[in-house]
Amino acid sequence: MSLNDFLKAPSRAQAALTPALEAKYQTLCARLKEASEEFGQDITFANSLGAEDMLITGCLAEQSLAIPLFVLDTGRLPEPTLNLLAEVQKRWPQLDLQVFYPAPEALQAWVKQEGINAFYRSIELRKSCCALRKLEPLQRALAGKQAWITGLRRAQSITREQLALREWDAAQQLTKINPLFDWEEDEVWQVLRTRHWPYNILHDQGYPSLGCAPCTRAIEPGADPRSGRWWWEQAEQRECGLHPARPTQVTP
């Protein structure tokens, strides 16, 4: 079932979870609890405010798991994404949520030299923009940590087909944990709808994958979920550097 089909079926979305999906959700909770027990405060969760990350956020709050989380505000996020961030902060004030921003002087210098929308001109400029707005703040968010949690799934794109539950992130020198690696999109939405957890309204407008406003657009039903991200580039290039295509796998 596609995202668009699922969103057109509110009666199904509000029904109780099937026993199989409830069991899968409990496995997700167990994975997060295990990560919390293993790493304590030396683990953090990178929340992009997409559907997958809202599922993990809701689970952390529901299970009272003391895993800190962070959001990268790139300075170019769509207004609905910022509105969701405010809603998360209001609904779950018990969560240890931090927001990281780009270094202002470095970003200002880049924009002055290259232009505000230089990322459209070349892959190199796009990646340098991502480096300033995402990668450098990510390094600050991960400083002092031993592991981080993501909402990545295998089915999201061809660059993530080999995703594992636990991987070694060579770029960050940390363990990366992907507790939703084996989930399907409609399973994510069934839990969100059943739990009545907030999500980004852009998903209702054809945005399965969310990022900066100028680099993200709605897609047609049935299209690759990541095809709306950096759509002017080849599919195998559509990553910002936060998640390398083939990190080294760690034995679970």
Side-chain angles (χ1 to χ4, degrees):
M1 176 183 287
S2 70
L3 172 60
N4 289 298
D5 291 337
F6 187 80
L7 293 176
K8 293 176 182 177
S11 60
R12 176 176 176 178
Q14 296 172 4
L17 299 180
T18 65
L21 186 51
E22 180 62 37
K24 194 167 189 175
Y25 172 70
Q26 293 304 323
T27 296
L28 166 64
C29 296
R31 289 170 177 172
L32 293 170
K33 182 178 180 181
E34 180 181 352
S36 179
E37 292 174 347
E38 179 179 355
F39 294 101
Q41 290 299 296
D42 291 330
I43 191 171
T44 188
F45 164 45
N47 188 342
S48 68
L49 299 169
E52 289 82 3
D53 292 336
M54 291 310 302
L55 170 55
I56 294 175
T57 301
C59 183
L60 294 179
E62 182 182 77
Q63 301 294 317
S64 299
L65 296 176
I67 295 177
L69 60 157
F70 67 89
V71 171
L72 301 179
D73 184 346
T74 64
R76 301 298 298 266
L77 295 181
E79 184 176 356
T81 301
L82 297 175
N83 290 341
L84 178 58
L85 171 58
E87 186 174 356
V88 169
Q89 292 172 315
K90 181 178 180 180
R91 177 163 181 163
W92 294 308
Q94 74 274 24
L95 293 176
D96 181 7
L97 171 62
Q98 289 186 282
V99 182
F100 288 83
Y101 302 88
E105 293 184 357
L107 182 58
Q108 183 175 347
W110 186 88
V111 170
K112 181 177 181 180
Q113 177 175 331
E114 304 294 349
I116 189 65
N117 291 328
F119 39 81
Y120 290 129
R121 300 206 309 267
S122 71
I123 293 177
E124 290 73 23
L125 285 172
R126 196 272 292 172
K127 289 187 174 180
S128 66
C129 184
C130 289
L132 286 168
R133 296 182 184 273
K134 294 183 178 182
L135 300 187
E136 191 279 329
L138 175 70
Q139 292 173 356
R140 283 186 273 122
L142 297 180
K145 302 297 182 181
Q146 297 181 15
W148 64 311
I149 296 170
T150 82
L152 301 183
R153 295 185 298 106
R154 285 176 175 171
Q156 285 173 326
S157 71
I158 62 173
T159 63
R160 299 175 180 178
E161 291 177 346
Q162 304 303 314
L163 198 69
L165 172 60
R166 291 171 64 108
E167 300 173 332
W168 177 248
D169 186 335
Q172 304 299 333
Q173 292 293 294
L174 297 173
T175 297
K176 179 187 285 187
I177 300 175
N178 309 303
L180 294 175
F181 79 104
D182 55 352
W183 280 58
E184 298 297 329
E185 184 178 33
D186 67 319
E187 294 174 331
V188 171
W189 280 102
Q190 286 183 60
V191 177
L192 284 178
R193 296 293 199 182
T194 301
R195 292 297 200 274
H196 302 286
W197 287 338
Y199 66 89
N200 198 314
I201 62 171
L202 289 174
H203 288 308
D204 295 340
Q205 301 170 22
Y207 290 77
S209 180
L210 303 175
C212 293
C215 297
T216 311
R217 67 179 182 180
I219 65 173
E220 295 296 325
D224 185 304
R226 295 279 291 178
S227 62
R229 302 290 297 277
W230 308 295
W231 61 91
W232 61 91
E233 298 178 4
Q234 296 297 316
E236 62 273 12
Q237 299 168 331
R238 292 175 188 156
E239 292 286 359
C240 60
L242 293 181
H243 307 294
R246 292 191 178 115
T248 303
Q249 184 172 330
V250 172
T251 302

